[in-house]
Amino acid sequence: MSAELSPIEKAKFVAAKRASDMVENGMKVGLGTGSTAAWMVRCLGERVRQEGLKIKGVPTSTRTADLAREVGIEVIALDEAGWLDLTIDGADEFDAELNLIKGGGGAHLQEKIVASASDRMVVIADPAKEVAHLGAFPLPVEVIPFGWKTTRKLVEEMLEGMDVLGRDVTIRMNGAMPFVTDEGNHILDLHLLRIGNPRQLALVLNQVPGVVENGLFIDICDTVVIGHGDGRVELRDVAAGSVQQDSMEFAESENLFKDV
């Protein structure tokens, strides 16, 4: 079945598989949201079934929670977990300092809370997610529904003083209606093209009335695992300043690929 995967899906799979091997028995693990994170959840479920791995997973969205339960992972709430050993999640972009843009799937609020409540955050990605400067991917900003048009106007005014190339702000849609997050909020997508100072922008955005959280993850990610379509895997650790090369096999069970 793995031979039928596209090179990009193989890259996502090997990154997810390598990161899932970092999880140890008894850990409390944050489970990210998105296509690459879904591979990781499936890989962990395979370890639960095949190895008897005992972990507790804290999902970052309802869809991740549903998948985790489906593959046999025990799911608990963050308040029950208290503190996590590890969070594994994807990213829409990452730079050389492992700063991230997340939220393409609309779950960055819960993802940031869970990642911040962890000893370590590991990001899994394919090579296309690496950028010299953040901003080509639209930056998601979660806002409360009340007065969201006013919030958008305030964000647009704030961007006039920021080091960005683009300043278009759009409301994310789900068909004919605004997209609604798990928390009942909307998302503004900021089309910035290039962000000159991600740290400053992250701080200023969260001061705008109506903004709940933005998709810039600054000083949160510790390690990025980059998968390639040929099975190669690269691990970068920002604290240690180390780069490790590895490779993964595609010989996985039918169960892992059954819904692909």
Side-chain angles (χ1 to χ4, degrees), residues 74-86:
E74 181 183 354
V75 171
I76 62 172
L78 180 59
D79 285 341
E80 181 183 351
W83 194 261
L84 307 181
D85 299 287
L86 175 67

PDB file of all heavy atoms in Angstrom, residues 74-86:
ATOM      1  N   GLU A  74      -5.424   6.037  24.193  1.00  0.00           N
ATOM      2  CA  GLU A  74      -6.231   6.598  25.275  1.00  0.00           C
ATOM      3  C   GLU A  74      -6.184   8.114  25.209  1.00  0.00           C
ATOM      4  O   GLU A  74      -5.109   8.712  25.192  1.00  0.00           O
ATOM      5  CB  GLU A  74      -5.719   6.122  26.634  1.00  0.00           C
ATOM      6  CG  GLU A  74      -6.525   6.660  27.804  1.00  0.00           C
ATOM      7  CD  GLU A  74      -5.984   6.253  29.166  1.00  0.00           C
ATOM      8  OE1 GLU A  74      -5.022   5.443  29.203  1.00  0.00           O
ATOM      9  OE2 GLU A  74      -6.497   6.766  30.181  1.00  0.00           O
ATOM     10  N   VAL A  75      -7.342   8.737  25.170  1.00  0.00           N
ATOM     11  CA  VAL A  75      -7.438  10.192  25.036  1.00  0.00           C
ATOM     12  C   VAL A  75      -7.860  10.802  26.369  1.00  0.00           C
ATOM     13  O   VAL A  75      -8.819  10.350  26.996  1.00  0.00           O
ATOM     14  CB  VAL A  75      -8.447  10.572  23.935  1.00  0.00           C
ATOM     15  CG1 VAL A  75      -8.716  12.069  23.938  1.00  0.00           C
ATOM     16  CG2 VAL A  75      -7.931  10.124  22.573  1.00  0.00           C
ATOM     17  N   ILE A  76      -7.124  11.832  26.797  1.00  0.00           N
ATOM     18  CA  ILE A  76      -7.489  12.562  28.012  1.00  0.00           C
ATOM     19  C   ILE A  76      -7.437  14.057  27.715  1.00  0.00           C
ATOM     20  O   ILE A  76      -6.830  14.495  26.728  1.00  0.00           O
ATOM     21  CB  ILE A  76      -6.554  12.235  29.197  1.00  0.00           C
ATOM     22  CG1 ILE A  76      -5.109  12.633  28.882  1.00  0.00           C
ATOM     23  CG2 ILE A  76      -6.643  10.761  29.564  1.00  0.00           C
ATOM     24  CD1 ILE A  76      -4.170  12.506  30.076  1.00  0.00           C
ATOM     25  N   ALA A  77      -8.082  14.851  28.563  1.00  0.00           N
ATOM     26  CA  ALA A  77      -8.064  16.304  28.415  1.00  0.00           C
ATOM     27  C   ALA A  77      -6.763  16.877  28.983  1.00  0.00           C
ATOM     28  O   ALA A  77      -6.121  16.267  29.841  1.00  0.00           O
ATOM     29  CB  ALA A  77      -9.262  16.920  29.135  1.00  0.00           C
ATOM     30  N   LEU A  78      -6.391  18.063  28.507  1.00  0.00           N
ATOM     31  CA  LEU A  78      -5.165  18.695  28.988  1.00  0.00           C
ATOM     32  C   LEU A  78      -5.236  18.962  30.487  1.00  0.00           C
ATOM     33  O   LEU A  78      -4.245  18.778  31.203  1.00  0.00           O
ATOM     34  CB  LEU A  78      -4.909  19.992  28.224  1.00  0.00           C
ATOM     35  CG  LEU A  78      -3.653  20.765  28.627  1.00  0.00           C
ATOM     36  CD1 LEU A  78      -2.401  19.912  28.451  1.00  0.00           C
ATOM     37  CD2 LEU A  78      -3.549  22.057  27.820  1.00  0.00           C
ATOM     38  N   ASP A  79      -6.388  19.403  30.981  1.00  0.00           N
ATOM     39  CA  ASP A  79      -6.511  19.674  32.410  1.00  0.00           C
ATOM     40  C   ASP A  79      -6.311  18.410  33.235  1.00  0.00           C
ATOM     41  O   ASP A  79      -5.799  18.469  34.365  1.00  0.00           O
ATOM     42  CB  ASP A  79      -7.873  20.285  32.716  1.00  0.00           C
ATOM     43  CG  ASP A  79      -7.965  21.739  32.279  1.00  0.00           C
ATOM     44  OD1 ASP A  79      -6.900  22.363  32.091  1.00  0.00           O
ATOM     45  OD2 ASP A  79      -9.092  22.245  32.119  1.00  0.00           O
ATOM     46  N   GLU A  80      -6.700  17.275  32.704  1.00  0.00           N
ATOM     47  CA  GLU A  80      -6.466  16.007  33.395  1.00  0.00           C
ATOM     48  C   GLU A  80      -4.998  15.617  33.340  1.00  0.00           C
ATOM     49  O   GLU A  80      -4.437  15.109  34.323  1.00  0.00           O
ATOM     50  CB  GLU A  80      -7.324  14.897  32.765  1.00  0.00           C
ATOM     51  CG  GLU A  80      -7.160  13.542  33.427  1.00  0.00           C
ATOM     52  CD  GLU A  80      -7.968  12.452  32.749  1.00  0.00           C
ATOM     53  OE1 GLU A  80      -8.801  12.781  31.869  1.00  0.00           O
ATOM     54  OE2 GLU A  80      -7.773  11.268  33.083  1.00  0.00           O
ATOM     55  N   ALA A  81      -4.377  15.871  32.210  1.00  0.00           N
ATOM     56  CA  ALA A  81      -2.962  15.511  32.047  1.00  0.00           C
ATOM     57  C   ALA A  81      -2.061  16.384  32.906  1.00  0.00           C
ATOM     58  O   ALA A  81      -1.061  15.924  33.460  1.00  0.00           O
ATOM     59  CB  ALA A  81      -2.557  15.634  30.586  1.00  0.00           C
ATOM     60  N   GLY A  82      -2.404  17.663  33.025  1.00  0.00           N
ATOM     61  CA  GLY A  82      -1.596  18.579  33.808  1.00  0.00           C
ATOM     62  C   GLY A  82      -0.413  19.117  33.029  1.00  0.00           C
ATOM     63  O   GLY A  82      -0.337  20.292  32.716  1.00  0.00           O
ATOM     64  N   TRP A  83       0.526  18.254  32.721  1.00  0.00           N
ATOM     65  CA  TRP A  83       1.725  18.637  31.967  1.00  0.00           C
ATOM     66  C   TRP A  83       2.115  17.474  31.082  1.00  0.00           C
ATOM     67  O   TRP A  83       1.946  16.309  31.473  1.00  0.00           O
ATOM     68  CB  TRP A  83       2.874  19.027  32.894  1.00  0.00           C
ATOM     69  CG  TRP A  83       3.993  19.743  32.179  1.00  0.00           C
ATOM     70  CD1 TRP A  83       5.162  19.213  31.745  1.00  0.00           C
ATOM     71  CD2 TRP A  83       4.003  21.120  31.803  1.00  0.00           C
ATOM     72  NE1 TRP A  83       5.911  20.175  31.120  1.00  0.00           N
ATOM     73  CE2 TRP A  83       5.228  21.368  31.146  1.00  0.00           C
ATOM     74  CE3 TRP A  83       3.107  22.183  31.959  1.00  0.00           C
ATOM     75  CZ2 TRP A  83       5.584  22.612  30.639  1.00  0.00           C
ATOM     76  CZ3 TRP A  83       3.455  23.424  31.459  1.00  0.00           C
ATOM     77  CH2 TRP A  83       4.688  23.633  30.810  1.00  0.00           C
ATOM     78  N   LEU A  84       2.639  17.771  29.899  1.00  0.00           N
ATOM     79  CA  LEU A  84       2.933  16.732  28.913  1.00  0.00           C
ATOM     80  C   LEU A  84       4.438  16.524  28.757  1.00  0.00           C
ATOM     81  O   LEU A  84       5.232  17.448  28.903  1.00  0.00           O
ATOM     82  CB  LEU A  84       2.326  17.103  27.560  1.00  0.00           C
ATOM     83  CG  LEU A  84       0.839  17.454  27.560  1.00  0.00           C
ATOM     84  CD1 LEU A  84       0.374  17.788  26.147  1.00  0.00           C
ATOM     85  CD2 LEU A  84       0.011  16.328  28.140  1.00  0.00           C
ATOM     86  N   ASP A  85       4.781  15.296  28.434  1.00  0.00           N
ATOM     87  CA  ASP A  85       6.187  14.987  28.167  1.00  0.00           C
ATOM     88  C   ASP A  85       6.608  15.490  26.794  1.00  0.00           C
ATOM     89  O   ASP A  85       7.753  15.917  26.596  1.00  0.00           O
ATOM     90  CB  ASP A  85       6.408  13.468  28.233  1.00  0.00           C
ATOM     91  CG  ASP A  85       6.084  12.900  29.596  1.00  0.00           C
ATOM     92  OD1 ASP A  85       6.875  13.134  30.530  1.00  0.00           O
ATOM     93  OD2 ASP A  85       5.030  12.241  29.738  1.00  0.00           O
ATOM     94  N   LEU A  86       5.688  15.434  25.844  1.00  0.00           N
ATOM     95  CA  LEU A  86       6.053  15.679  24.447  1.00  0.00           C
ATOM     96  C   LEU A  86       4.805  16.046  23.658  1.00  0.00           C
ATOM     97  O   LEU A  86       3.728  15.500  23.907  1.00  0.00           O
ATOM     98  CB  LEU A  86       6.676  14.402  23.860  1.00  0.00           C
ATOM     99  CG  LEU A  86       7.049  14.358  22.385  1.00  0.00           C
ATOM    100  CD1 LEU A  86       8.198  15.318  22.094  1.00  0.00           C
ATOM    101  CD2 LEU A  86       7.434  12.946  21.978  1.00  0.00           C
TER     102      LEU A  86
END
